[in-house]
Amino acid sequence: MKTDLIENVTYDEITLGQSARLLRTLTLADIQAFAAVSGDVNPAHLNSEYANDTLLHGVIAHGMWGGALISALLGNQFPGFGTIYVEQELHFTKPVRIGDTLTVTATVVKKDAVNKHVKLDCQLVNQKGERVLYGTATVLAPTRKMRLPPVVAPRIQLFDPQARFRELLARTAGMPAVRCAVAHPCDMESLKGAMDSAGFGLIIPVLIGPEVRIRHIAEEAAIDLTGAEIISAAHSHEAAEKAAAMAAKGEVGMLMKGSLHTDELIHAVLAQPALRTGRRMSHVFRFDVPLYDKPLLITDAALNIRPGLLEKVDIIQNAIDFARTLGVKIPKVAILSAVETVNPNIPSTLDAAALCKMAERGQIHGGILDGPLAFDNAISLHAAQVKHIESLVAGEADILVVPDLESGNMLAKQLEYLAGASGAGLVLGAAVPIALTSRADSPLARVSSALLAQLAADNARRDQSRQAW
């Protein structure tokens, strides 16, 4: 006999005074999920800074979240499946806050044999004994007895890019805005990204490009250029050269790519000896991925096409140093390949093995390296366990090092467009950080890249101060 079946309560089984109850503790995830499903994004529920200044002094649950708990009690337990809502009356008496535990009760107060309607008195009481919501519900009760297996609710994966952005933005609190040369911001996305970055206090923008065109774009897109300096340049090549020259002279502390090709800007940087550091430049993406529990860095997916072993040393060291800037004390570095074993027919596995040995000998420092690792082993502890891989990195990688630009670029774009990840990127290894984004990226992605560059610039400034002492 099956014991895992649930059953409903039919109209004939229901008696006056009969009741049922459930308990539920409100979490932030409940509020976020209800906002996502209902579309009610009132800041009183989602923005603590705003909510603290309201009459209720803090974030509260949506009122109808309490109503949904009554619906859950009636639909799941009493009378259970087969119940049809006819009417619901609600009165809201006190706010419900994160951490409150509510007791939801429904008690039968009336039965109508003609239409099989049942009227129930409903109330929600918090852990202090305070009634926060009450009312009556009228339902059409089921007339047929049924026993069914429990239904597992669909999983809701909560991911709030804005919240992740605000969390990252908080790391820049107290940092001075960095004077930034923006090369050729001649479309709406790049110009807005630069000015939005200024609005967040990340940069002091120096816009380099055709002035008439820049002002025309600003006027058409209603972008406020207040606080921006404009330096005229006839075309994108000249804009890149002027931006790099300003960085070489120390007139700006970072660069930002506008609406020009990446190789134009990088070529201009390489042409300035003062911007070279002796380390190869490389690109790092930072992603917030919905199904991964921490930020993920991917390198190099935008600059070095087919890096050799020594070039990968610099690529990895750049990424480790930057991860430490982001607060990761000892970054875990997964060196990716198609397989997790060394295979002479797959050159990337040989590079991975050599890089791990180089790290053991101190040629790469500040992180823990392992490889070769396939992608699943790098990000899934379960996958690593199934394959009997013993590793301090597997399943917990902070940095993914790709074999070449092609694989890295495809991985990055798959995370963004198929997995819903939010990303930003910058170039490291030059004397100044370079906020580097795709021309298809949104203004928010450009702001996020500027934010990363500000963090890198501030870290470089503090390193110089320490060396001076």
Side-chain angles (χ1 to χ4, degrees):
M1 180 178 179
K2 291 185 177 180
T3 59
D4 59 347
L5 298 178
I6 57 173
E7 63 180 40
N8 61 359
V9 182
T10 66
Y11 178 85
D12 291 336
E13 294 174 319
I14 295 172
T15 60
L16 291 177
Q18 188 174 0
S19 67
R21 72 172 191 163
L22 68 80
L23 270 70
R24 179 71 173 266
T25 300
L26 176 69
T27 68
L28 176 59
D30 291 325
I31 294 176
Q32 292 172 333
F34 195 90
V37 172
S38 67
D40 183 352
V41 292
N42 186 324
H45 311 303
L46 300 168
N47 185 326
S48 58
E49 185 175 344
Y50 167 85
N52 288 337
D53 290 332
T54 66
L55 292 174
L56 297 174
H57 303 294
V59 167
I60 60 172
H62 300 76
M64 291 308 298
W65 181 76
L69 294 185
I70 295 174
S71 177
L73 176 59
L74 300 180
N76 295 340
Q77 293 180 227
F78 180 70
F81 43 91
T83 299
I84 298 175
Y85 246 122
V86 176
E87 182 178 87
Q88 177 75 65
E89 178 188 76
L90 296 174
H91 300 273
F92 305 92
T93 54
K94 285 186 177 295
V96 179
R97 304 183 187 279
I98 294 171
D100 281 354
T101 297
L102 304 182
T103 301
V104 186
T105 59
T107 304
V108 179
V109 294
K110 183 178 180 181
K111 293 181 65 178
D112 188 334
V114 176
N115 52 24
K116 307 301 182 186
H117 284 186
V118 176
K119 188 174 185 179
L120 304 103
D121 177 69
C122 307
Q123 65 176 339
L124 277 67
V125 177
N126 66 19
Q127 70 276 11
K128 300 176 183 177
E130 301 168 331
R131 188 170 65 173
V132 299
L133 186 155
Y134 70 95
T136 59
T138 301
V139 301
L140 175 61
T143 57
R144 183 164 64 95
K145 191 71 173 179
M146 291 181 286
R147 293 178 177 84
L148 296 172
V151 177
V152 178
R155 179 182 178 185
I156 296 178
Q157 180 64 42
L158 295 173
F159 180 68
D160 184 352
Q162 288 287 347
R164 299 286 184 96
F165 171 75
R166 289 193 295 270
E167 183 180 336
L168 185 60
L169 183 65
R171 297 187 63 85
T172 69
M175 292 184 184
V178 180
R179 186 169 164 82
C180 173
V182 187
H184 202 68
C186 292
D187 62 8
M188 186 278 287
E189 288 79 9
S190 60
L191 185 58
K192 189 174 190 308
M195 296 312 299
D196 285 351
S197 299
F200 280 106
L202 306 174
I203 68 170
I204 301 169
V206 180
L207 311 177
I208 306 176
E211 182 171 356
V212 173
R213 187 174 173 187
I214 290 172
R215 293 193 181 278
H216 177 70
I217 292 168
E219 184 177 353
E220 280 198 332
I223 299 171
D224 186 1
L225 297 182
T226 301
E229 177 185 350
I230 300 178
I231 295 178
S232 184
H235 46 69
S236 58
H237 287 292
E238 184 181 354
E241 291 167 359
K242 287 188 174 182
M246 291 183 71
K249 295 174 184 175
E251 296 173 353
V252 295
M254 59 183 275
L255 300 174
M256 179 183 287
K257 176 190 169 188
S259 56
L260 75 171
H261 289 284
T262 296
D263 57 357
E264 289 183 83
L265 182 56
I266 298 304
H267 179 76
V269 170
L270 291 172
Q272 295 287 340
L275 295 181
R276 298 179 184 176
T277 62
R279 187 183 291 179
R280 189 173 188 83
M281 289 194 298
S282 60
H283 182 272
V284 175
F285 274 117
R286 179 193 180 277
F287 281 108
D288 283 310
V289 186
L291 293 178
Y292 202 63
D293 62 358
K294 57 182 174 180
L296 193 59
L297 301 184
I298 296 178
T299 190
D300 179 342
L303 211 59
N304 293 284
I305 298 175
R306 294 183 188 87
L309 180 64
L310 294 181
E311 293 161 340
K312 288 181 180 180
V313 170
D314 283 349
I315 289 171
I316 293 171
Q317 193 64 64
N318 286 340
I320 289 174
D321 292 347
F322 184 61
R324 290 167 65 89
T325 297
L326 295 178
V328 184
K329 292 183 179 179
I330 305 178
K332 296 180 178 180
V333 183
I335 307 169
L336 298 185
S337 185
V339 295
E340 60 278 350
T341 55
V342 176
N343 185 332
N345 295 317
I346 305 178
S348 60
T349 67
L350 299 176
D351 282 354
L355 289 164
C356 291
K357 179 57 68 175
M358 294 171 81
E360 288 181 18
R361 300 288 169 85
Q363 291 173 269
I364 302 171
H365 55 86
I368 301 172
L369 277 63
D370 197 7
L373 288 172
F375 178 77
D376 57 343
N377 306 322
I379 55 91
S380 168
L381 187 59
H382 173 71
Q385 290 171 340
V386 168
K387 294 186 178 181
H388 306 291
I389 297 173
E390 295 185 9
S391 168
L392 295 175
V393 174
E396 299 182 1
D398 299 294
I399 300 168
L400 301 180
V401 181
V402 298
D404 52 39
L405 183 145
E406 287 180 299
S407 58
N409 195 269
M410 285 187 281
L411 172 59
K413 289 180 178 176
Q414 285 164 0
L415 288 176
E416 181 178 1
Y417 288 96
L418 291 180
S422 57
L426 78 164
V427 172
L428 301 167
V432 297
I434 305 170
L436 192 70
T437 51
S438 167
R439 283 171 290 168
D441 280 341
S442 67
L444 179 61
R446 295 171 187 273
V447 173
S448 298
S449 296
L451 195 160
L452 297 182
Q454 187 202 29
L455 289 168
D458 184 76
N459 186 68
R461 179 182 58 80
R462 286 186 282 109
D463 281 347
Q464 291 174 355
S465 297
R466 284 192 290 267
Q467 291 170 8
W469 281 97

